[in-house]
Amino acid sequence: MGTGYVEKCLWDYKKNEARLKALRAVCKDLMSVMGQSYAVNGKNGVSDPVANTVGRLMSIEKKLEKTGAQVKPVRKLHADLRQCTDERSELLWILRLKYFEHWCTDDMKRELAVSGATLYRMTSELLKLARTYFK
């Protein structure tokens, strides 16, 4: 995967996590009402709500797969970085502040007490590491 795609997945992680939750809730709701009622269509008579629901479920499943493919590597990277006790723990801060909380560069430099060049180097290191999680 290219660095641009990986970085977009990092930026969108929180939004995509919320999207996955919402899509799963819609699936659950659809599954609970499947086949319980028939809608009357003025032109053709009775429509088949099961077929309509299955079509919607298939569409949602595709969205779940795509979004899950973007979220899963970031979730794994985050979990692995939380386990680190070495210099990679700084990468966890970059991941959280820059990509999850969307801090600006100046605030990050101040919080981490690093120069712009050091922050850039650490961000590049994080992106290089993150690329290994996307296969």
Side-chain angles (χ1 to χ4, degrees):
M1 295 288 161
T3 302
Y5 175 78
V6 170
E7 191 164 31
K8 178 158 179 33
C9 290
L10 293 174
W11 281 112
D12 293 345
Y13 175 71
K14 291 291 186 176
K15 178 182 75 172
N16 284 335
E17 279 281 15
R19 185 172 192 218
L20 280 176
K21 185 177 179 178
L23 288 170
R24 287 183 184 123
V26 170
C27 279
K28 184 178 177 181
D29 289 346
L30 287 172
M31 293 297 288
S32 69
V33 298
M34 191 174 343
Q36 291 182 3
S37 64
Y38 281 87
V40 176
N41 183 329
K43 269 185 171 176
N44 304 326
V46 177
S47 66
D48 184 0
V50 173
N52 294 338
T53 303
V54 169
R56 288 183 64 198
L57 284 170
M58 289 173 67
S59 173
I60 292 170
E61 182 63 32
K62 286 180 186 177
K63 291 175 186 174
L64 280 168
E65 286 178 24
K66 181 181 177 188
T67 306
Q70 295 170 344
V71 166
K72 187 177 178 182
V74 179
R75 189 183 294 145
K76 176 77 170 120
L77 170 66
H78 187 225
D80 288 350
L81 286 175
R82 283 195 320 255
Q83 301 299 319
C84 289
T85 56
D86 59 5
E87 69 279 349
R88 283 193 172 177
S89 64
E90 290 179 335
L91 299 182
L92 176 61
W93 281 103
I94 301 293
L95 180 66
R96 286 180 176 165
L97 297 178
K98 181 172 184 161
Y99 295 106
F100 294 176
E101 298 177 19
H102 305 285
W103 283 34
C104 71
T105 301
D106 288 338
D107 289 344
M108 289 176 56
K109 288 189 302 189
R110 200 170 16 262
E111 179 71 21
L112 299 173
V114 297
S115 69
T118 300
L119 181 61
Y120 178 79
R121 179 190 52 76
M122 291 185 331
T123 302
S124 295
E125 187 179 334
L126 173 63
L127 289 172
K128 184 178 176 184
L129 176 64
R131 284 185 68 185
T132 65
Y133 285 77
F134 288 82
K135 298 189 186 204

